[in-house]
Amino acid sequence: MNKRLVFIIIAASAVLAMPNAAYAMHISEGILPLRWAGIWFFVAVPFMALGIASIKKSSQKVPASIPLIGMISAAVFIISAMPIPVPTVGTCSHPAGTGLAAILVGPFATVVITSVALLIQALFIAHGGVTTLGANIVSMGVVGAFAGYFIYKVAIKLKVPLIPAAFLAGLVSDWATYASTSVELALGLSEKGSFFTLLKAIIVAFMPTQVPLGLLEGFAAAGFFAYVLNRRPDILIKLGVITRSEHSRKDAVYEEAAL
Amino acid sequence: MKKRLYKLPISFSMIQFALGADRKWQGVDETVVEKFAEEAGRPAWEPFINTDQGDLLLFVFLLVGLIGGFIIGYYWRVLFKDEKR
């Protein structure tokens, strides 16, 4: 793999692993039983391997993807550690950023970006945990990224305009991340017969904060996607995020709206 | 009418901020994750390297924010500005 690209990702991840133990959805150190911690690691590893291959392929095919991946790495860290107060409930949480990353650089690459960030956060800033690293990678990097990416692709197939499709990606990836965190917690903490009861309780506890935050993340994803779409559509076309016909259709929609 | 529409969400947000102030703006990892973990008898462990000591955490926050902003700004320029030249 391009050494410069590896350095960019690691450097961006390292310096941007903002210490924010109070504000994250990350599962803290030691909360999950080791059995479940190990299972989530095994689930995460194949995705990370495929992600490394994906980044290598993208960087060779589209050199402009390297600065995009570097910037997205930094953005994911800031986004995933930014404590946003939710006035309606008086608590804070943070978006995931993985939905936007997935539609721009691909879901597998997003898993790698997320993995490096979570590892450094767990090691140096008490954010998340080493034992729970696999679980956090699965929830934020795998489920969040793939959910956002899947919704984006389905929306495009259904002829939804690009910007609203990006909004849906941001929204769904946020909610999917916290839903999967809820599943991981319920699996790890529930005793026999209480899984669904505990799962429901955790989801309900997350909802007041994450419903508005997911909407916010959707708007942020749509906004940034629109910016990249307008300024550098060539990168998106080369990376396969959009096709030339979709880009042309976007212009036609805007022209019709202007008329 | 339009001015009132703009003022309404701002006023609402200010009221909610005031009402929420006594809850100390805890993160969901405390209010949700660690709460359920403690109820299940699995409290979080001490971190291996604890930077949450005195002003150390604040320093790390500012440092990573500064460097992170620089990285984003640098690549922003590479992606969106240099192409124009």
Side-chain angles (χ1 to χ4, degrees):
Chain A
M1 179 189 292
N2 188 312
K3 287 182 182 177
R4 184 172 151 222
L5 180 59
V6 171
F7 173 76
I8 288 167
I9 292 176
I10 292 176
S13 306
V15 299
L16 295 171
M18 295 182 72
N20 205 348
Y23 306 126
M25 95 304 170
H26 301 346
I27 301 175
S28 302
E29 192 79 74
I31 282 180
L32 292 180
L34 288 180
R35 177 173 69 99
W36 278 109
I39 287 172
W40 295 121
F41 263 113
F42 276 113
V43 171
V45 164
F47 288 96
M48 291 161 61
L50 289 170
I52 293 171
S54 170
I55 290 173
K56 183 179 177 181
K57 186 179 171 186
S58 293
S59 62
Q60 289 170 347
K61 184 181 164 190
V62 185
S65 68
I66 296 174
L68 183 63
I69 289 172
M71 190 176 70
I72 292 295
S73 299
V76 165
F77 282 112
I78 289 179
I79 290 169
S80 68
M82 185 187 300
I84 296 179
V86 181
T88 50
V89 289
T91 56
C92 295
S93 186
H94 66 78
T98 48
L100 174 64
I103 60 178
L104 288 177
V105 300
F108 287 107
T110 302
V111 175
V112 175
I113 290 170
T114 308
S115 301
V116 177
L118 289 170
L119 175 62
I120 295 166
Q121 288 175 2
L123 285 175
F124 299 114
I125 61 172
H127 188 54
V130 175
T131 59
T132 55
L133 184 62
N136 289 326
I137 290 173
V138 168
S139 62
M140 185 169 146
V142 177
V143 175
F146 279 88
Y149 183 78
F150 176 74
I151 286 297
Y152 172 78
K153 288 297 184 183
V154 168
I156 295 299
K157 285 277 185 191
L158 295 175
K159 306 293 183 194
V160 174
L162 293 171
I163 309 306
F167 167 83
L168 289 172
L171 174 73
V172 170
S173 74
D174 185 283
W175 288 353
T177 298
Y178 282 86
S180 66
T181 300
S182 304
V183 170
E184 290 167 354
L185 281 173
L187 284 170
L189 301 178
S190 64
E191 296 172 355
K192 281 185 182 177
S194 66
F195 168 74
F196 288 106
T197 304
L198 185 57
L199 175 64
K200 183 181 168 187
I202 295 172
I203 289 177
V204 168
F206 270 135
M207 278 176 64
T209 309
Q210 290 314 127
V211 167
L213 213 60
L215 291 169
L216 180 67
E217 179 158 5
F219 284 117
F224 185 76
F225 185 80
Y227 185 86
V228 179
L229 183 64
N230 283 315
R231 297 296 295 272
R232 292 297 306 272
D234 58 305
I235 295 180
L236 299 182
I237 292 171
K238 287 177 187 173
L239 288 173
V241 178
I242 60 173
T243 61
R244 290 190 188 279
S245 60
E246 285 165 354
H247 183 243
S248 301
R249 179 160 55 92
K250 180 266 299 182
D251 288 332
V253 169
Y254 288 164
E255 284 169 5
E256 284 179 21
L259 292 171
Chain B
M1 182 62 180
K2 282 187 179 178
K3 286 185 181 177
R4 288 180 190 168
L5 284 175
Y6 288 132
K7 288 178 185 172
L8 191 61
I10 294 173
S11 304
F12 179 75
S13 298
M14 290 172 68
I15 292 169
Q16 290 296 329
F17 268 111
L19 288 174
D22 62 335
R23 300 179 208 176
K24 300 181 184 176
W25 300 106
Q26 287 182 313
V28 290
D29 75 329
E30 289 177 340
T31 60
V32 179
V33 177
E34 291 185 13
K35 170 180 168 288
F36 281 98
E38 284 176 9
E39 286 175 3
R42 295 199 64 87
W45 295 351
E46 281 292 314
F48 295 124
I49 302 173
N50 191 358
T51 53
D52 191 5
Q53 300 176 52
D55 281 347
L56 183 61
L57 195 61
L58 180 61
F59 167 73
V60 181
F61 254 108
L62 291 171
L63 182 65
V64 297
L66 183 70
I67 299 173
F70 174 80
I71 291 176
I72 288 180
Y74 177 81
Y75 284 118
W76 191 282
R77 193 190 70 173
V78 168
L79 282 169
F80 301 117
K81 300 293 182 188
D82 287 351
E83 272 292 313
K84 280 174 106 176
R85 296 178 189 168

